[in-house]
Amino acid sequence: MSTLLLVRHGLTAMTGPVLAGRTPDVHLDERGDKQAAAVAERIAAVPLSAIVTSPLDRCQETAQAISDAQTAAQREPAWHVDDRLQECDYGDWTGRQIKDLVKEPLWKVVQAQPSAVHFPGGEGLAEMSMRAVGAVRDWDARLGDDAVWVACTHGDIIKAIVADALGLHLDQYQRIVPDPCSVSVIRYTATRPYVIRVNDTGGDLAGFAPPKKRRRRRTGDDATIGGGAGGGEV
């Protein structure tokens, strides 16, 4: 069973008031740098097999902080940039003020039926979801059992991946909230994904370190009847 730590990038000057999308040269601001350092310190307790990141600057900078913390712990996880994890292509909405976008008729569709949304001049949210989910499942298969790895990406991408893991229709994904530099944890097994944490901004992550080699139980991929003892076990 591999474990994915989904990390949203830290704050930028555009985060919140502006739909940055794929705007080039959007970097972490001072707040974002502090957030990236804090999440990197939390993840440093976990030996990572790989760090996979969106190509956009704000994600690469967050991922670099995570990598630096691993290096300080005398580890060198593989580093990969994957275009499939980059932000949704919002097309003509890119770079516009949120306060203006809420007046657009399409805004209500984004809220109520995102699976039907195709941004003018950009991509559809269903297309975004398909490529993002395909990326994490591809890396999960590639990295193999007991791997713990980070995917550093964007809010809408994380919502789509978590919704898929929960078995939710994309139209429900707006119910999921990933804050900047939050960690959402998904464990993939042969039978189903398990969503272990969502939007975690301060919890201890040490328990997600891969276990020492041991004989596997036949029920290792099964849900625990009664809820289990916690600690990230399934």
Side-chain angles (χ1 to χ4, degrees):
M1 300 181 293
S2 70
T3 302
L4 166 62
L5 309 183
L6 273 170
V7 179
R8 187 182 171 198
H9 63 80
L11 284 167
T12 75
M14 297 178 76
T15 307
V18 178
L19 185 62
R22 297 183 181 180
T23 303
D25 298 322
V26 177
H27 299 276
L28 299 180
D29 60 15
E30 185 177 350
R31 300 169 301 164
D33 285 334
K34 291 179 180 177
Q35 290 174 327
V39 76
E41 183 177 353
R42 293 173 60 211
I43 294 174
V46 182
L48 300 176
S49 298
I51 297 171
V52 186
T53 179
S54 158
L56 297 182
D57 292 321
R58 56 194 184 271
C59 284
Q60 292 213 50
E61 291 164 359
T62 304
Q64 186 61 60
I66 294 169
S67 179
D68 290 345
Q70 292 284 307
T71 301
Q74 299 184 336
R75 310 185 202 110
E76 293 186 10
W79 174 279
H80 305 276
V81 176
D82 192 330
D83 288 345
R84 295 173 295 178
L85 293 178
Q86 71 174 316
E87 182 64 282
C88 181
D89 183 355
Y90 298 113
D92 297 345
W93 280 30
T94 302
R96 292 183 59 189
Q97 296 278 334
I98 297 295
K99 66 180 181 180
D100 295 328
L101 291 175
V102 298
K103 302 172 186 176
E104 297 281 351
L106 185 61
W107 181 269
K108 291 183 178 180
V109 187
V110 172
Q111 301 304 311
Q113 195 181 2
S115 65
V117 169
H118 195 286
F119 292 100
E123 71 177 330
L125 286 173
E127 296 173 80
M128 176 207 73
S129 176
M130 186 176 298
R131 66 171 165 83
V133 170
V136 297
R137 290 184 178 270
D138 176 33
W139 281 108
D140 173 70
R142 201 182 306 187
L143 293 169
D145 287 349
D146 293 334
V148 182
W149 61 287
V150 160
C152 189
T153 184
H154 307 270
D156 276 343
I157 298 289
I158 292 172
K159 291 194 288 186
I161 293 169
V162 172
D164 170 76
L166 288 169
L168 296 177
H169 193 282
L170 186 62
D171 288 346
Q172 307 301 319
Y173 100 135
Q174 297 290 22
R175 301 181 182 205
I176 299 163
V177 179
D179 290 331
C181 277
S182 63
V183 180
S184 298
V185 183
I186 303 172
R187 182 163 291 157
Y188 288 91
T189 76
T191 54
R192 65 178 70 84
Y194 291 87
V195 178
I196 301 173
R197 295 191 189 180
V198 177
N199 197 30
D200 185 336
T201 57
D204 181 12
L205 298 172
F208 292 104
K212 295 179 179 179
K213 296 296 182 183
R214 64 184 186 274
R215 185 175 179 179
R216 293 182 177 277
R217 297 175 298 161
R218 289 184 181 180
T219 58
D221 291 353
D222 294 343
T224 304
I225 303 302
E233 292 295 331
V234 295

